[in-house]
Amino acid sequence: MTRTYISKIEPEKEIKISGWIERIRNSKNMIFIVLKDITGKIQVTIEKANNEDICNALEGIIANSVIEVTGVAHLSEYVKMGGIEMIPTSVQVLSSAEALPITEEANIDQKLDYRWIDLRSEKNTLMFQAQSCFTNAMRTFLVSQNFTEIHTPKIIGAASESGADVFELTYFDTKAYLAQSPQFYKQMAMASGFERIFECGPVFRAEKSYTNRHATEFTGFDIEFSYIESYEDVMNMEEDMIIAGLSAVKEKYGDKIKEVFDVDIVVPTKPFPRIKLQDLYSAIETKYGYTLPDSEKIDLTTEAEKLAGKYAMEEYGHEFIFVTDYPKDKRAFYHMRKDGVPQGYDLIWKGVEITTGAQREHRYDILKAQAEEKGLDKDVQFYLEFFKYGCPPHGGFGIGLDRITMLMLGVSSIKEAEFLFRGPNRLTP
């Protein structure tokens, strides 16, 4: 007999279900089990007097064991879970559990030691269902816009981007590095004539950072596309992609997320607010009294990010805000410049930076000069070759799915939002 998901159970039919025992109550005459699978829960009711074999099979079984139940589901006004209870004709124990080594009250690092157990909770299951929904919606949107999904190498021969914060490894008789991003290869795809590409894959950053939003390995969602006129085209594309992702999550899981996380999924409207970096600093100084020396206003501080989110809500009624016009010293060499100003942006959501995007410099001579200016021309020689034989104007961005998940559901740390967290002090499980 084929297994039936709990959410697909039809009353008065013989079925087979399998799942985890969430609770078991063994009274004098009855055994009550709450059984759950990925789709829902059901009460399994066993009358001891007529089910000696089933009672023997369940002897000593505790919560978190895995069982298979064959029988008939009946409507019952006395059962809270959907008004249906399962009356079994047979029960098979697939896996018996020991007492759990952690509780719901354990701290996050203790939970990470037993992450596979921690992930069994309804809250964590919903988190990754929402993340999957968000990712799939972005992917579906991009495919509808003629994007092609690619998969770039993560072991590379030269440090990507700045050359700093990379993991070095021995690769046979030479050195190699784990990719900080797929940036160079996304642009290679533009030089290959692919025009529109995206990738979802691992990203590695050798940063000894212990904040609630940093990890040494995370999942990046990157896009790049050709024949743009300015970085406004890139921002517009990101707006549409994020709206598609949040719309899908709200439609499928919005009510459940409100119930479990007490968070409203807000689908943003277009256009997202835009503000220049220096104008933002002036605004948050005037509005919130946040002051910094001019020498530190060349990038967004963590506190400025928080205030940018607050400002966006109070000034525009919007959870998102684009920050533009960063100085060239704080932008990558491959960002196109106009009158010396990099043509790019950061996107802030709920007071946290989630994206850096830009129009790229596609003209070989200018790109080479900008690499030389930052002392990187030798390190990125292979990358510069992509632009010697023709390349259309293009741009793109990348977002971290784990940080997006953290912000979307209001959890306190990226440690909770990653399936398995990797940080300076964690390599297992």
Side-chain angles (χ1 to χ4, degrees):
M1 185 183 297
T2 303
R3 177 193 178 208
T4 299
Y5 278 123
I6 289 172
S7 66
K8 300 296 184 182
I9 288 176
E10 296 180 23
E12 312 310 324
K13 289 186 176 181
E14 187 177 25
I15 55 171
K16 179 177 73 176
I17 60 175
S18 302
W20 302 81
I21 296 177
E22 184 176 82
R23 294 192 303 276
I24 183 167
R25 181 163 62 89
N26 197 336
S27 65
K28 181 178 179 180
N29 299 313
M30 304 288 290
I31 299 175
F32 299 97
I33 293 173
V34 175
L35 194 70
K36 68 174 183 178
D37 66 16
I38 196 68
T39 69
K41 303 176 185 179
I42 191 170
Q43 178 176 298
V44 179
T45 305
I46 302 152
E47 188 176 345
K48 287 185 175 181
N50 302 317
N51 292 286
E52 184 177 352
D53 289 344
I54 293 176
C55 292
N56 289 338
L58 292 172
E59 183 68 33
I61 291 299
I62 64 174
N64 288 288
S65 298
V66 182
I67 62 173
E68 177 184 283
V69 180
T70 302
V72 178
H74 299 281
L75 294 172
S76 173
E77 59 182 301
Y78 303 106
V79 177
K80 293 180 180 179
M81 281 172 290
I84 299 177
E85 65 178 341
M86 182 84 168
I87 307 299
T89 54
S90 69
V91 173
Q92 180 182 354
V93 177
L94 303 178
S95 175
S96 58
E98 298 182 14
L100 297 185
I102 57 170
T103 66
E104 287 284 336
E105 291 72 37
N107 67 47
I108 183 61
D109 289 307
Q110 290 173 320
K111 289 182 176 181
L112 289 181
D113 289 338
Y114 295 93
R115 182 60 164 164
W116 65 96
I117 296 172
D118 181 44
L119 288 170
R120 294 177 188 175
S121 72
E122 180 182 22
K123 189 173 184 179
N124 279 329
T125 299
L126 178 59
M127 181 184 302
F128 289 99
Q129 287 173 330
Q131 184 185 87
S132 177
C133 179
F134 187 85
T135 306
N136 183 62
M138 292 193 298
R139 180 179 275 114
T140 300
F141 166 75
L142 292 173
V143 169
S144 76
Q145 300 297 308
N146 295 321
F147 279 77
T148 299
E149 185 169 7
I150 65 171
H151 302 283
T152 61
K154 305 309 168 197
I155 301 175
I156 58 178
S160 52
E161 304 208 12
S162 67
D165 299 326
V166 293
F167 289 108
E168 182 181 302
L169 62 149
T170 301
Y171 191 75
F172 301 109
D173 58 351
T174 188
K175 289 181 181 179
Y177 306 89
L178 294 179
Q180 287 175 297
S181 83
Q183 184 59 47
F184 290 172
Y185 295 110
K186 289 195 303 176
Q187 291 186 258
M188 188 189 84
M190 300 301 97
S192 302
F194 279 31
E195 292 198 13
R196 294 183 163 212
I197 62 92
F198 70 96
E199 175 173 18
C200 184
V203 177
F204 302 90
R205 298 285 168 88
E207 298 176 298
K208 283 193 175 181
S209 181
Y210 299 90
T211 75
N212 70 327
R213 56 184 181 165
H214 285 91
T216 53
E217 179 182 354
F218 59 90
T219 301
F221 197 101
D222 285 80
I223 83 165
E224 203 78 19
F225 59 111
S226 293
Y227 301 106
I228 67 172
E229 295 184 0
S230 78
Y231 68 100
E232 281 284 344
D233 296 331
V234 182
M235 291 192 284
N236 289 334
M237 183 67 74
E238 183 164 16
E239 288 173 338
D240 289 337
M241 190 187 79
I242 287 174
I243 288 170
L246 289 175
S247 295
V249 173
K250 184 177 182 66
E251 180 180 353
K252 190 168 185 178
Y253 296 111
D255 291 343
K256 191 68 175 177
I257 288 170
K258 179 63 176 176
E259 175 189 333
V260 175
F261 290 92
D262 194 26
V263 170
D264 292 307
I265 301 298
V266 177
V267 178
T269 56
K270 288 184 67 175
F272 296 4
R274 289 141 163 80
I275 191 169
K276 294 179 181 179
L277 179 65
Q278 295 309 313
D279 291 343
L280 175 63
Y281 271 116
S282 296
I284 62 177
E285 180 175 349
T286 300
K287 197 169 180 67
Y288 309 116
Y290 181 69
T291 59
L292 277 180
D294 288 345
S295 61
E296 295 183 33
K297 293 180 181 178
I298 56 175
D299 205 353
L300 274 182
T301 64
T302 301
E303 184 61 26
E305 284 183 21
K306 293 178 183 177
L307 292 174
K310 185 177 180 180
Y311 179 76
M313 283 300 300
E314 293 180 356
E315 191 73 14
Y316 304 104
H318 212 287
E319 290 185 346
F320 293 84
I321 187 167
F322 286 114
V323 182
T324 66
D325 289 60
Y326 285 80
K328 64 182 182 181
D329 291 347
K330 286 297 178 179
R331 300 284 96 169
F333 74 92
Y334 49 78
H335 285 204
M336 180 177 282
R337 300 172 189 171
K338 184 177 181 181
D339 299 324
V341 179
Q343 299 298 283
Y345 63 87
D346 282 347
L347 178 58
I348 310 299
W349 185 27
K350 298 182 179 180
V352 177
E353 180 260 306
I354 61 167
T355 293
T356 294
Q359 179 169 7
R360 321 301 186 188
E361 181 52 71
H362 64 283
R363 295 162 294 185
Y364 174 76
D365 291 343
I366 298 174
L367 185 62
K368 185 173 184 293
Q370 290 181 182
E372 288 172 350
E373 175 186 278
K374 290 184 178 279
L376 294 171
D377 52 312
K378 302 299 182 186
D379 294 333
V380 298
Q381 189 59 48
F382 82 98
Y383 162 79
L384 294 174
E385 288 287 313
F386 301 158
F387 303 91
K388 290 176 71 173
Y389 309 100
C391 186
H394 61 275
F397 59 85
I399 64 175
L401 283 178
D402 313 288
R403 190 177 288 187
I404 285 281
T405 304
M406 178 183 78
L407 295 169
M408 179 169 62
L409 301 180
V411 299
S412 61
S413 172
I414 200 167
K415 291 180 178 180
E416 300 175 70
E418 288 195 329
F419 181 74
L420 281 174
F421 173 71
R422 288 291 177 262
N425 295 332
R426 182 163 291 275
L427 274 173
T428 57

